[in-house]
Amino acid sequence: MMMYSPQLMRLGAVLTLGVAAQAAYTIQDSYDNTNFFDGFEFFNLPDPTNGFVKYLGAAEANALSLAGYANNGVYLGVDYNTTNPVGGRSSVRVNSKKTYNEALIIADIAHQPAAACGSWPAFWTVGQNWPYNGEIDIIEGVNLATNTTYTLHTGPSCTFSQGNCNAPGTGNIGCGISSEDTQTLADGFNEIGGGIFALEWTSSAINIFFFPRTGDIPQDITSGQPDPSTWGSPQTTFSGSGCDIPSHFKDHQIVFDTTFCGDWAGKVFSSDPVCGSKAATCQEYVASNPSAFKDTYWLINSVKVYSDSATNSTTKRHTSTFKPRRFIA
């Protein structure tokens, strides 16, 4: 999850459409409120994007009701009680223990972190040795943004119609495009009861679909037999001869997190007329206004990973004995 530069329940631009090779997808892994924390682990190191955040480990996050099972979903929240927290506002970042290649990932999400000055939530996939094994940002926005940006980050020599994915030579900005759909992020997403995001990653294209809860969710998704070839046009597609996808996107973990300020939200905080009027700096605002983040949480119904027989490649990275308690958030 890196900076992109533009071109409930509790607990646009013209694109060249790439057609992924049709595949018969079968379920590989399903994560929900029965097993999510068996398949995901907590990241509790300093934030690589320099955020004003303290990522908690599993036991502490669960004890403080920042992570666990609630309201028939997986709850991932932040501390909204502490004023002037030392070292950053407490939050959680989790990633799948398994890594995936050329998969169909379908996330049914009931609630995203609400729009709030200083916040930077994201749902993404990423490989090791960043940016050379790639990153795919599916849900991402900062501060009071109203629609998600779909962004890729890679090493050199990967370009799509959306731009150079190694921009500005480090991969920090990458190549991306706004969804231009207010139902894809934060308040607009939450007002309709959420929805489903699907990432179809093949050797020839990376396609991202969104289906609002109030719209027509494909029956083949609800039946567990997804067929993206019947879904119509994705919200965006990355394809073409400018990037060899298999060599730039490898062994990805699935990630959910919420950070604050940092390299993107902090950098543009003062340029937002609303946020800039609230405090001199992003960190000052986030530290002094815990109640602003009461609705800064994810509530995930499920994440399902499908594969075809040709790309059934995963590696299980770690094991854990963490058993989260259930709570009403």
Side-chain angles (χ1 to χ4, degrees):
M1 177 195 63
M2 298 300 292
M3 181 177 66
Y4 164 74
S5 178
Q7 205 213 335
L8 188 138
M9 297 171 289
R10 276 299 308 259
L11 170 136
V14 177
L15 298 177
T16 302
L17 295 181
V19 179
Q22 186 169 347
Y25 287 104
T26 57
I27 189 71
Q28 186 167 339
D29 292 297
S30 181
Y31 306 105
D32 56 25
N33 69 340
T34 67
N35 67 348
F36 184 89
F37 295 106
D38 294 331
F40 279 72
E41 61 190 354
F42 287 72
F43 174 95
N44 61 354
L45 299 175
D47 180 18
T49 61
N50 302 303
F52 180 65
V53 66
K54 180 182 179 182
Y55 287 129
L56 302 184
E60 186 176 8
N62 190 231
L64 295 175
S65 297
L66 268 61
Y69 298 132
N71 298 89
N72 298 314
V74 179
Y75 178 90
L76 304 172
V78 307
D79 169 26
Y80 57 86
N81 294 306
T82 307
T83 302
N84 296 321
V86 177
R89 186 158 299 285
S90 293
S91 180
V92 293
R93 169 174 163 170
V94 298
N95 58 260
S96 61
K97 296 177 182 177
K98 286 186 176 181
T99 61
Y100 298 96
N101 289 285
E102 296 181 21
L104 174 64
I105 300 172
I106 300 178
D108 185 332
I109 300 171
H111 188 278
Q112 296 180 24
C117 293
S119 68
W120 182 0
F123 163 48
W124 45 302
T125 71
V126 66
Q128 298 294 309
N129 192 26
W130 191 93
Y132 299 99
N133 286 344
E135 174 180 328
I136 304 171
D137 297 329
I138 305 162
I139 302 174
E140 186 173 28
V142 298
N143 298 320
L144 303 179
T146 58
N147 43 256
T148 190
T149 55
Y150 304 123
T151 310
L152 306 184
H153 304 268
T154 70
S157 303
C158 180
T159 300
F160 296 104
S161 62
Q162 294 89 343
N164 175 10
C165 302
N166 185 240
T170 60
N172 281 352
I173 292 177
C175 60
I177 190 168
S178 167
S179 70
E180 298 186 354
D181 181 349
T182 60
Q183 292 185 334
T184 61
L185 186 72
D187 298 352
F189 180 87
N190 298 333
E191 287 169 0
I192 61 169
I196 292 175
F197 282 87
L199 165 66
E200 184 188 22
W201 165 17
T202 75
S203 62
S204 59
I206 293 173
N207 297 321
I208 301 176
F209 298 84
F210 172 65
F211 304 104
R213 190 81 61 200
T214 53
D216 295 323
I217 295 174
Q219 190 276 334
D220 57 55
I221 290 181
T222 57
S223 69
Q225 298 177 315
D227 182 1
S229 69
T230 68
W231 294 351
S233 298
Q235 286 231 331
T236 194
T237 185
F238 298 86
S239 64
S241 61
C243 183
D244 179 57
I245 291 175
S247 66
H248 287 280
F249 297 87
K250 302 176 184 177
D251 301 327
H252 278 208
Q253 293 174 286
I254 303 167
V255 185
F256 288 90
D257 77 273
T258 303
T259 187
F260 299 97
C261 303
D263 296 339
W264 186 8
K267 185 175 182 179
V268 301
F269 180 88
S270 296
S271 63
D272 184 296
V274 176
C275 297
S277 68
K278 293 180 179 291
T281 67
C282 182
Q283 181 170 324
E284 178 184 328
Y285 179 77
V286 171
S288 302
N289 294 275
S291 63
F293 306 106
K294 184 174 183 179
D295 291 325
T296 303
Y297 66 90
W298 297 93
L299 188 65
I300 304 159
N301 291 330
S302 65
V303 177
K304 297 182 179 181
V305 182
Y306 296 83
S307 67
D308 62 41
S309 58
T311 58
N312 186 6
S313 174
T314 66
T315 301
K316 190 169 184 178
R317 296 175 55 81
H318 304 286
T319 59
S320 172
T321 58
F322 171 59
K323 298 297 180 183
R325 67 183 178 90
R326 295 179 181 270
F327 58 87
I328 298 175

